Amino acid sequence: QQRRHFEHVSEAMLELVRDFGHRLDVDVRQVHCPMAFDNVGADWLQTSDEIANPYFGGKMPRCGTIEHVFAAAPADGETQ
């Protein structure tokens, strides 16, 4: 049940980052697990290059692929 709720939060966060960007000083990655929810698939955001799958946890923690990288926010005064 927690994973299903996480999916809804993750979808909303992904939509916000797509539409408005982010203010973090590190890249943010959109990661996709094709096996989540009986092979329907699900996405989430993370800052690490190493996959940390929230849908399978300890069973398959590295399942997933980085689909997109949202670049770090520029430092104050810089343009992107």
Side-chain angles (χ1 to χ4, degrees):
Q1 190 69 1
Q2 288 178 340
R3 289 180 175 104
R4 181 56 73 187
H5 291 301
F6 177 79
E7 178 192 24
H8 297 301
V9 171
S10 188
E11 288 174 357
M13 292 298 297
L14 184 55
E15 187 173 337
L16 286 170
V17 170
R18 279 188 191 130
D19 290 349
F20 302 106
H22 68 86
R23 302 281 310 194
L24 299 176
D25 61 356
V26 297
D27 292 344
V28 174
R29 291 141 188 85
Q30 174 186 347
V31 188
H32 179 76
C33 173
M35 297 173 61
F37 305 113
D38 295 322
N39 297 318
V40 171
D43 293 348
W44 69 93
L45 296 172
Q46 66 178 50
T47 56
S48 173
D49 280 327
E50 183 176 41
I51 305 298
N53 189 318
Y55 296 106
F56 284 101
K59 293 180 183 177
M60 295 182 359
R62 303 295 171 241
C63 177
T65 56
I66 295 174
E67 298 287 316
H68 184 77
V69 177
F70 299 94
D76 288 341
E78 294 181 23
T79 58
Q80 204 170 24

